[in-house]
């Protein structure tokens, strides 16, 4: 408990999201707005789904525990579906807004490929690596075609990050504030890994939301409905896996497997390739030699 | 309390100042005013295929930049308030004291009685603000004649109004002195209490001599920074601090239901006062528009160093020079009269509505004259668009922080409710600025944010909290 657990769990859960925020979102004011609007949309979906759950709870017998659990599970799946609906709604909003941003200038380097974001998350965990990668990507001219496509791509990744951050905040922050105080985890026979598992799940979900944001965009842009269906069903799967808790072996490794899979998929679907990965490594080596 | 007067005065002066800017930029903005379309003039350095797309893009880009320039101080103020509420228990303790503007107590036997009392309290508070605003509107109308007395056009009026004007003018100075005093109170007395409570919370031993030195320096530097000159960041920090202190005072001394009702009522009041044809703020705006003048320069948070000019009537003081002085107000936020094609996105109307929410305000006659802008003056040429700043009234800061502070103090959902209110307020601010860009007329900034904040507070506290608690207990993830 106390500070060690607090900082450990906080950094596990929010470290990558914070790094992403600092290095890709914070310098462009428009992206910050998109991030916060994404958080807002997630919040709206949560509000509506808790309203539905609350009504169901009030209409049912509160003594029947299996019914309550069943209603909670229903609430979970309904909330997931509603989140995807709001993701789609936000995508439509962004699309309309980006049409006005089609000619965004690239002198401030704001046209960063989502590839870079996906790649940064997939392979590189340190800030320095992300910076090198971004610099390389910008210089190599490997950016795709039209700018509006690019900025919408980036916006969707940022929106996904907004979803993820808000989801993580709502899952994690109350628990973090509890972990600051004295106590013994699992003293009544529950698992003693509660905090760390929560932090790890939060991290996975944050990353997943970001990847799903990218994939959702790709699916909607290219009208590949199977991609959208895959995203929705994977989200449902992840939520379903979390229902296995506290059997952590059943929930955490599969979720991380799915996260990795999503990362790779998002990376390749947004235009990355093994070649660019290779080029990154050689360039880093070259830079290392020259400096 | 002084803050109510300040609020009223600030609301009033906000409108005046905004109108001044509005009229200033009218010549270059005629096409904007008339048809609401972005100006078709194009900045020479931008080359795209479509002028309107370019303008829209610039509008969105710079609008976004200015929105972020507001996000940061609002967030900081909220963080200070929430951090204080969470750590210092003094501000959440109800020791039975209430402000004189909320005389009715809420510890009644029945719920109906409590509701009635809180509604009466809110009614009284809003009434006080309304009365002060009206007084100021009246004063402004009469004062203008005195101000223009040297102008030959108004000579007849001057002869007619002068005796009454003098009396009103003294009254005006009394109000300004009152506001100066309230700022003094805030910087010395309230911060002394705050510091004392922080020391108590963390069990820090401090002798009175050190405390006196600290408070003295803090207060004096604050007064200088806010009312005269000072480094920009320091001034901004002080404005954020006094807004936070004011919000904390409100959180402590307003009873529960009264506070929520006041938040709702002041948003409605703001909406009506600005948008209704007979609203006091709108009358003030229109009057100032006719006079081509600013009203009271108030305490406004500004994100850039401002350049100041003397008023047209400075012939009275014999000083016609314009000089750049770093102060917190009257940098024409996004109304570049020298570069009409560089629309910051939200220019006159946005500045207008920013002027609505003002925090504690004070100005002496001299400082007021100094910082009131010459309507025909041009700001120094700004080479870089980033140097054009944004301004937000301190009343906005105070009420936003008060909402979030109350959410963190009283919500049983704890951090979820606080975060939800925080996001809601930021989105409300964004939407307000967006609406301004679309409508390009004076709009109030409080209603949308406060409405979102209130909706999300009650919804999160009552609906989302049990849901998330259940999910956390079972470790389900959505």
């Amino acid at each position: 408990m106390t500070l060690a657990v607090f900082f450990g769990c906080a950094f596990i859960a929010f470290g990558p999201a914070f790094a992403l925020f600092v290095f890709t979102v914070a310098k462009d004011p428009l992206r910050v707005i998109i991030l916060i609007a994404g958080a807002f949309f997630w919040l709206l979906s949560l509000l509506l789904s808790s309203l539905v759950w609350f009504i169901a709870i009030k209409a049912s017998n509160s003594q029947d525990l299996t019914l309550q659990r069943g209603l909670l599970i229903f609430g979970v799946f309904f909330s997931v579906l509603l989140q995807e609906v709001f993701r789609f709604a936000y995508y439509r909003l962004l699309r309309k807004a980006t049409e006005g941003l089609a000619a965004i200038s690239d002198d401030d380097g704001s046209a960063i490929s989502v590839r870079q974001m996906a790649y940064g998350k997939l392979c590189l965990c340190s800030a320095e690596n992300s910076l090198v990668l971004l610099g390389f990507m910008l210089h190599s001219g490997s950016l795709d075609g039209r700018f509006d496509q690019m900025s919408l791509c980036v916006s969707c990744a940022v929106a996904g990050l907004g979803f993820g951050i808000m989801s993580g905040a709502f899952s994690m922050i109350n628990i973090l504030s509890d972990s600051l105080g004295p106590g013994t985890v699992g003293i009544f026979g529950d698992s003693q890994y509660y905090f760390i598992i929560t932090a790890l799940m939060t991290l996975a979900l944050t990353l997943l939301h970001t990847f799903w944001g990218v994939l959702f965009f790709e699916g909607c842009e290219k009208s590949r409905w199977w991609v959208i269906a895959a995203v929705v069903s994977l989200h449902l799967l992840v939520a379903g896996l979390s229902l296995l808790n506290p059997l952590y072996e059943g929930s955490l490794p599969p979720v991380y497997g799915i996260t990795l899979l999503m990362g790779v998929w998002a990376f390749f679907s947004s235009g990355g390739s093994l070649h660019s990965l290779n080029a990154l490594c050689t360039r880093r080596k070259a830079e290392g030699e020259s400096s | 309390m002084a803050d109510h007067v300040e609020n009223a005065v600030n609301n009033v002066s906000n409108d005046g100042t905004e109108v001044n800017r509005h009229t200033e930029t009218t010549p270059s903005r005629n096409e904007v005013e008339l048809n609401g379309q972005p100006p078709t003039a194009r900045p020479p350095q931008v080359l795209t295929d479509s002028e309107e797309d370019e303008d829209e893009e610039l509008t969105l880009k710079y609008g976004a930049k200015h929105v972020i320039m507001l996000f940061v101080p609002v967030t900081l103020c909220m963080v200070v308030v929430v951090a204080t509420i969470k750590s210092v228990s003094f501000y959440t303790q109800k020791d039975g004291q209430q402000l004189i503007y909320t005389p009715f107590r809420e510890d009644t036997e029945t719920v109906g009685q409590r509701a009635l009392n809180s509604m009466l309290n809110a009614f009284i508070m809003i009434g006080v603000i309304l009365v002060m605003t009206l007084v100021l509107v009246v004063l402004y109308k009469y004062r203008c004649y005195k101000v223009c007395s040297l102008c030959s056009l108004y000579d007849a009026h001057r002869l007619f109004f002068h005796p009454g004007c003098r009396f009103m003018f003294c009254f005006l100075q009394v109000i300004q002195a009152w506001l100066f005093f309230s700022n003094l109170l805030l910087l010395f007395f309230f911060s002394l209490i705050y510091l004392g409570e922080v020391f108590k919370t963390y069990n820090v031993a401090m002798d009175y001599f050190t405390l006196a030195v600290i408070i003295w320096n803090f207060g004096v530097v604050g007064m200088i920074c806010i009312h005269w000159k000072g480094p920009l960041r320091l001034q901004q920090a002080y404005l954020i601090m006094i807004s936070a202190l004011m919000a904390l005072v409100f959180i402590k001394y307003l009873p529960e239901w009264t506070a929520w009702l006041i938040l709702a009522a002041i948003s409605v009041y703001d909406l009506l006062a600005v948008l209704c044809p007979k609203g006091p703020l709108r009358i003030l705006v229109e009057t100032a528009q006719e006079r081509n003048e600013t009203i009271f320069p108030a305490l406004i948070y500004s994100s850039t160093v401002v350049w100041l000019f003397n008023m047209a009537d400075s012939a009275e003081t014999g000083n016609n020079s314009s000089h750049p002085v770093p102060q917190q107000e009257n940098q024409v936020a996004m109304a570049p009269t020298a570069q009409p094609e560089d629309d910051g996105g939200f220019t006159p109307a946005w500045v207008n509505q920013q002027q609505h929410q003002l925090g504690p305000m004070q100005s002496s006659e001299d400082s007021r004259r100094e910082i009131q802008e010459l309507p025909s003056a041009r700001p120094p040429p700004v080479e870089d668009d980033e140097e054009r700043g944004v301004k937000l009234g301190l009343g906005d800061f105070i009420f936003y922080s008060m909402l979030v502070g109350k959410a963190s103090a009283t919500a049983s959902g704890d951090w979820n409710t606080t975060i939800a209110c925080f996001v809601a307020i930021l989105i409300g601010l964004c939407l307000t600025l967006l609406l301004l860009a679309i409508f390009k007329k004076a709009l109030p900034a409080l209603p949308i944010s406060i409405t979102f904040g209130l909706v999300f507070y009650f919804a999160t506290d009552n609906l989302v909290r049990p849901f998330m608690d259940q999910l956390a207990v079972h470790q389900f993830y959505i």
Side-chain angles (χ1 to χ4, degrees):
Chain A
M1 292 295 284
T2 65
L3 278 180
V5 172
F6 173 78
F7 279 114
C9 290
F11 290 150
I12 290 176
F14 295 118
F18 184 66
L20 271 172
F21 175 78
V22 166
F23 291 113
T24 55
V25 174
K27 48 175 154 12
D28 188 2
L30 204 54
R31 287 186 202 165
V32 176
I33 295 175
I34 293 174
L35 186 88
I36 300 210
F40 181 71
F41 271 77
W42 187 89
L43 201 59
L44 274 178
S45 81
L46 181 68
L47 208 77
L48 287 176
S49 53
S50 9
L51 177 68
V52 168
W53 175 82
F54 192 77
I55 293 173
I57 285 287
K58 286 299 174 193
S60 71
N61 177 18
S62 59
Q63 308 303 322
D64 187 356
L65 287 175
T66 32
L67 179 63
Q68 298 298 309
R69 192 185 159 90
L71 280 176
L72 191 64
I73 294 174
F74 159 73
V76 165
F77 287 121
F78 185 73
S79 175
V80 166
L81 289 173
L82 216 56
Q83 280 177 47
E84 296 303 324
V85 166
F86 272 81
R87 199 196 299 275
F88 181 71
Y90 193 42
Y91 159 76
R92 294 302 299 263
L93 183 73
L94 275 180
R95 174 133 202 102
K96 270 200 196 150
T98 317
E99 271 149 23
L101 287 173
I104 195 164
S105 65
D106 53 343
D107 56 328
D108 52 354
S110 59
I112 292 178
S113 166
V114 69
R115 214 181 331 166
Q116 299 162 10
M117 293 184 73
Y119 182 60
K121 277 202 300 276
L122 176 64
C123 297
L124 310 172
C125 296
S126 78
E128 188 198 337
N129 287 338
S130 304
L131 279 173
V132 168
L133 172 63
L134 295 179
F136 165 70
M137 285 300 193
L138 281 171
H139 282 121
S140 70
S142 56
L143 303 176
D144 272 344
R146 295 152 26 216
F147 279 128
D148 57 350
Q149 185 94 4
M150 187 58 56
S151 52
L152 183 58
C153 204
V154 174
S155 308
C156 267
V158 173
L161 186 65
F163 268 60
I165 287 181
M166 202 59 182
S167 160
F170 262 65
S171 313
M172 197 65 202
I173 293 201
N174 265 339
I175 293 175
L176 277 179
S177 79
D178 284 338
S179 76
L180 259 180
T184 308
V185 192
I187 195 170
F188 291 117
D190 301 303
S191 163
Q192 47 177 304
Y193 300 117
Y194 182 83
F195 287 138
I196 197 107
I197 296 290
T198 309
L200 288 169
M201 278 296 287
T202 307
L203 169 65
L205 269 175
T206 308
L207 295 179
L208 275 171
H209 271 292
T210 317
F211 297 146
W212 282 329
V214 174
L215 288 169
F216 207 87
F217 151 76
E218 296 287 329
C220 287
E221 274 293 297
K222 301 184 177 134
S223 296
R224 290 190 199 145
W225 306 111
W226 64 272
V227 171
I228 297 177
V231 167
V232 175
S233 48
L234 277 169
H235 194 171
L236 286 168
L237 178 66
V238 167
L241 281 172
S242 76
L243 293 175
L244 289 175
N245 282 333
L247 184 69
Y248 296 136
E249 300 85 350
S251 70
L252 208 59
V255 168
Y256 268 88
I258 293 176
T259 310
L260 273 170
L261 196 71
M262 290 291 107
V264 171
W265 188 6
F267 175 69
F268 283 112
S269 98
S270 56
S273 65
L274 288 171
H275 172 257
S276 49
L277 274 178
N278 192 26
L280 169 78
C281 295
T282 45
R283 169 154 171 145
R284 280 189 59 219
K285 219 188 305 177
E287 280 183 358
E289 285 166 1
S290 61
S291 60
Chain B
M1 229 167 102
D3 45 311
H4 305 302
V5 175
E6 290 154 4
N7 273 338
V9 171
N10 292 334
N11 281 335
V12 166
S13 51
N14 265 335
D15 287 334
T17 350
E18 81 194 25
V19 169
N20 179 50
R21 292 201 180 76
H22 186 83
T23 52
E24 260 181 68
T25 59
T26 298
S28 59
R29 294 261 167 270
N30 269 332
E31 51 196 58
V32 174
E33 308 307 326
L34 289 176
N35 55 21
Q37 295 301 315
T40 51
R42 187 165 55 144
Q45 68 274 18
V46 182
L47 306 165
T48 57
D49 46 6
S50 164
E51 290 182 359
E52 286 201 4
D53 281 350
E54 181 56 45
D55 278 326
E56 274 185 35
E57 173 223 318
L58 273 177
T59 296
L60 275 167
K61 252 178 79 179
Y62 291 117
K65 191 173 299 187
H66 293 126
V67 169
I68 297 303
M69 283 198 232
L70 288 183
F71 271 11
V72 172
V74 169
T75 308
L76 276 175
C77 193
M78 289 189 205
V79 162
V80 168
V81 170
V82 169
T84 308
I85 293 276
K86 286 293 185 190
S87 54
V88 179
S89 62
F90 171 74
Y91 287 103
T92 44
Q93 288 162 357
K94 301 286 178 189
D95 50 2
Q97 270 188 316
Q98 287 186 209
L99 301 172
I100 55 168
Y101 294 100
T102 56
F104 296 96
R105 306 204 62 88
E106 279 195 15
D107 45 1
T108 57
E109 296 93 35
T110 63
V111 172
Q113 185 69 23
R114 183 178 187 185
L116 184 68
N117 280 359
S118 51
M119 276 195 283
L120 286 171
N121 278 340
F123 189 66
I124 292 174
M125 182 81 97
I126 300 294
V128 166
I129 293 178
L130 181 67
V131 162
M132 296 309 304
T133 312
L134 285 172
V135 163
L136 278 156
V137 168
V138 164
L139 281 176
Y140 180 67
K141 273 175 115 76
Y142 284 111
R143 187 191 154 267
C144 271
Y145 286 97
K146 178 189 185 331
V147 157
C148 300
S149 62
L150 292 183
C151 191
S152 58
L153 284 167
Y154 295 97
D155 263 350
H157 298 281
R158 171 175 66 99
L159 291 169
F160 182 69
F161 281 114
H162 191 65
C165 272
R166 222 184 335 193
F167 168 72
M168 302 255 188
F169 190 64
C170 290
F171 190 40
L172 211 62
Q173 278 193 309
V174 164
I175 290 184
Q176 286 162 1
W178 169 273
L179 295 170
F180 186 84
F181 172 72
S182 78
N183 228 13
L184 206 75
L185 198 73
L186 209 60
L187 274 172
F188 285 95
F189 187 56
F190 286 140
S191 54
L192 174 69
I193 295 177
Y194 179 83
L195 209 58
E197 293 304 323
V198 168
F199 288 152
K200 272 189 224 169
T201 306
Y202 291 107
N203 207 17
V204 173
M206 171 79 64
D207 56 301
Y208 276 116
F209 294 111
T210 315
L211 189 67
V213 169
I214 291 174
I215 293 293
W216 173 255
N217 279 298
F218 178 79
V220 168
V221 173
M223 292 305 279
I224 291 175
C225 270
I226 293 173
H227 301 309
W228 193 46
K229 308 179 197 183
L232 180 68
R233 293 289 176 219
L234 195 63
Q235 183 190 337
Q236 290 173 343
Y238 268 107
L239 290 173
I240 292 177
M241 275 189 270
I242 63 175
S243 307
L245 278 174
M246 205 63 233
L248 286 168
V249 164
F250 277 149
I251 292 172
K252 180 170 174 64
Y253 288 113
L254 285 178
E256 195 60 40
W257 290 15
T258 308
W260 294 116
L261 279 174
I262 284 180
L263 275 173
I266 202 153
S267 321
V268 172
Y269 164 75
D270 205 27
L271 192 70
L272 293 175
V274 174
L275 293 180
C276 281
K278 287 294 170 197
L281 295 182
R282 185 155 169 168
I283 292 176
L284 200 67
V285 163
E286 285 160 4
T287 314
Q289 236 173 343
E290 290 165 28
R291 307 271 173 269
N292 232 20
E293 255 185 20
T294 59
I295 326 180
F296 303 101
L299 279 179
I300 311 175
Y301 175 93
S302 165
S303 64
T304 56
V305 169
V306 290
W307 306 101
L308 305 176
F309 300 91
N310 285 336
M311 240 177 66
D313 70 335
S314 55
E316 291 183 66
T317 58
N319 183 8
N320 267 331
S321 65
S322 70
H323 55 282
V325 175
Q327 280 224 12
Q328 83 280 10
E329 44 218 343
N330 289 353
Q331 166 66 343
V332 182
M334 284 185 289
T337 53
Q339 298 125 15
E341 67 276 6
D342 260 356
D343 189 3
F346 305 132
T347 317
W350 182 90
V351 173
N352 282 350
Q353 69 86 28
Q354 287 313 325
Q355 307 297 332
H356 284 294
Q357 286 75 34
L358 293 179
M361 158 188 129
Q362 83 299 329
S363 58
S364 67
E365 174 62 9
D366 290 336
S367 71
R368 182 164 41 88
R369 197 170 293 126
E370 264 187 29
I371 53 188
Q372 275 171 356
E373 224 163 1
L374 196 65
S376 58
R378 295 287 180 262
V382 178
E383 300 104 29
D384 191 356
D385 282 313
E386 279 79 32
E387 291 192 14
R388 288 180 294 149
V390 291
K391 284 190 274 188
L392 183 65
L394 290 192
D396 270 340
F397 281 89
I398 292 174
F399 285 112
Y400 293 162
S401 313
M402 181 184 148
L403 196 151
V404 176
K406 280 209 80 64
S408 73
T410 59
S412 43
D414 256 357
W415 289 100
N416 286 348
T417 319
T418 312
I419 296 171
C421 288
F422 168 72
V423 171
I425 287 180
L426 288 185
I427 290 294
L429 193 59
C430 251
L431 278 177
T432 310
L433 296 175
L434 190 70
L435 280 178
L436 274 165
I438 294 172
F439 289 113
K440 296 196 195 298
K441 58 176 262 215
L443 289 179
L446 271 182
I448 299 181
S449 285
I450 299 287
T451 310
F452 276 9
L454 288 175
V455 165
F456 273 83
Y457 171 77
F458 288 109
T460 312
D461 200 29
N462 296 311
L463 299 174
V464 176
R465 180 188 49 86
F467 187 49
M468 293 308 289
D469 280 348
Q470 283 296 306
L471 290 181
V473 163
H474 294 100
Q475 270 191 312
F476 295 163
Y477 290 93
I478 52 169

